[in-house]
Amino acid sequence: MTQPGIPNDFALSTLCFGTRLRSIEDQAFAAVAMGFRQIELGLSDSPPTLNGFDDTRRETGVRVTSVVSGCLKPQAEKAACQLLASSSADEREQALGSVRRHIQLAQRLGAPVVVLRGSSVADPKLRHEAEQLHVKLVKEGLSEELAEQIREFVQRLQRKGQRQIEHLCRSLHQLMSEFPATKVALEPGLHIDDLLSFEAMGWVLDDLEKHGLGYWHDVGRIHMRQRCGLPGQGRWLEAYAGRMVGIHLQDSAEDLHQMPPGAGEVDFKLVAEYTPKAACKVLEVDSRHGRPEILGAVQFLRDLGL
């Protein structure tokens, strides 16, 4: 197992600390003590205070690699990606203001990337239908019939969500025009009603490729979608690894995600094969997992060449 304090090349998401450490200063010191020299400001039910980080950075040399949009507020609130795609001009402007604040924070902290995570569609009927399919999946398991129903639902969602995708592209274009020095990266969501399906992600990346939009892979979330009969790890990586600027490394099994890599079902050899060397590699595990699990995950990933 990796010894505490031995430097590694991964970044640690502050999501890992949960409510145990309430300031970014304490979280940065804890990350450095485990050998991390990079952190990501991740989502949290109780975001940390940001006071004292400049002094911590000077003392430890730790740097911020990325900021997940939404990290300034409790993650139970509506995701910016959903609001950026809203049919309401007021909601889109509200979301633009929120993402601007996160980009400005990233620039103040020296983080080159802001990650926008996919979220569910706005249509309440589609969201209700997705919940019903999920309940059926949990109760009965994945049959070929249910997998076909889920794929048909996603195709229908894509058709009905086309207007939202257009709004999302316009919003992203505006943000990237305003902040050309900061890389914006899109990450797929977790559930089958996510606006950014496999195909829709490609549409948005293609539309904004010339403006520098990047792709951020999430190992655990893609595995959860794969368990629903949707495109899996290999298809996402083969299609979008060339535009990957970062990756959230977490494991998944059954209905759980944000597990330490090596503790679940994900094929990390496949992930290692496709992940670009220059991509930012962020360990993102739930706060119920402690220091030993984090250090064990680091060793597991290093042994695979990640």
Side-chain angles (χ1 to χ4, degrees), residues 25-55:
E25 181 180 18
D26 290 340
Q27 292 179 349
F29 273 111
V32 169
M34 288 188 283
F36 295 91
R37 296 298 180 263
Q38 305 171 100
I39 61 172
E40 173 188 81
L41 292 191
L43 301 183
S44 172
D45 293 327
S46 180
T49 62
L50 301 177
N51 298 333
F53 181 71
D54 289 339
D55 290 338

Side-chain angles (χ1 to χ4, degrees), residues 106 129 148 191 200 210 214 282 294:
E129 186 176 351
E148 185 57 37
H191 301 293
K210 292 181 180 179
V282 180
I294 291 174

Side-chain angles (χ1 to χ4, degrees), residues 57-99:
R57 179 166 48 187
R58 283 192 292 270
E59 186 173 343
T60 65
V62 70
R63 70 185 188 93
V64 181
T65 59
S66 46
V67 169
V68 179
S69 182
C71 68
L72 291 174
K73 293 185 177 181
Q75 63 176 325
E77 299 189 7
K78 276 189 176 181
C81 213
Q82 181 181 349
L83 295 178
L84 288 173
S86 173
S87 59
S88 164
D90 288 341
E91 286 193 337
R92 291 198 302 275
E93 189 55 44
Q94 175 187 341
L96 285 167
S98 174
V99 179

Side-chain angles (χ1 to χ4, degrees), residues 157-167 195 203:
L157 181 147
Q158 286 179 174
R159 292 193 297 270
K160 292 187 176 182
Q162 188 62 44
R163 185 63 175 164
Q164 280 186 269
I165 291 291
E166 292 172 3
H167 284 311
L195 182 64
W203 299 339

Side-chain angles (χ1 to χ4, degrees), residues 70-263:
C71 68
L72 291 174
K73 293 185 177 181
Q75 63 176 325
E77 299 189 7
K78 276 189 176 181
C81 213
Q82 181 181 349
L83 295 178
L84 288 173
S86 173
S87 59
S88 164
D90 288 341
E91 286 193 337
R92 291 198 302 275
E93 189 55 44
Q94 175 187 341
L96 285 167
S98 174
V99 179
R100 286 187 186 107
R101 289 190 291 275
H102 286 83
I103 293 176
Q104 289 163 351
L105 172 64
Q107 292 182 342
R108 180 166 68 83
L109 297 176
V113 183
V114 169
V115 182
L116 285 172
R117 179 166 289 168
S119 62
S120 61
V121 292
D123 189 323
K125 291 182 179 179
L126 288 173
R127 294 169 70 173
H128 178 66
E129 186 176 351
E131 289 175 5
Q132 290 180 314
L133 288 169
H134 178 70
V135 169
K136 188 174 182 181
L137 176 65
V138 171
K139 286 183 177 180
E140 303 176 8
L142 185 66
S143 63
E144 184 52 45
E145 179 183 359
L146 180 55
E148 185 57 37
Q149 290 177 11
I150 291 174
R151 287 191 288 267
E152 186 277 329
F153 168 79
V154 170
Q155 290 172 358
R156 185 157 36 89
L157 181 147
Q158 286 179 174
R159 292 193 297 270
K160 292 187 176 182
Q162 188 62 44
R163 185 63 175 164
Q164 280 186 269
I165 291 291
E166 292 172 3
H167 284 311
L168 177 61
C169 287
R170 292 192 186 98
S171 296
L172 291 172
H173 179 270
Q174 182 173 340
L175 288 166
M176 291 186 292
S177 299
E178 293 177 13
F179 301 97
T182 297
K183 188 78 169 179
V184 175
L186 273 189
E187 179 182 61
L190 178 60
H191 301 293
I192 63 173
D193 63 352
D194 183 27
L195 182 64
L196 293 172
S197 64
F198 174 75
E199 289 80 6
M201 177 66 80
W203 299 339
V204 179
L205 290 173
D206 288 344
D207 186 65
L208 296 171
E209 183 175 16
K210 292 181 180 179
H211 300 280
L213 181 65
Y215 172 67
W216 193 284
H217 190 72
D218 189 297
V219 177
R221 286 173 173 78
I222 293 300
H223 187 76
M224 294 287 283
R225 294 168 68 90
Q226 182 176 340
R227 289 182 59 86
C228 298
L230 297 175
Q233 213 79 237
R235 284 193 64 189
W236 282 83
L237 289 167
E238 184 176 4
Y240 305 129
R243 287 179 271 194
M244 187 194 300
V245 297
I247 182 170
H248 280 132
L249 295 163
Q250 55 171 268
D251 218 328
S252 176
E254 298 183 358
D255 61 344
L256 295 175
H257 69 295
Q258 294 180 347
M259 299 169 64

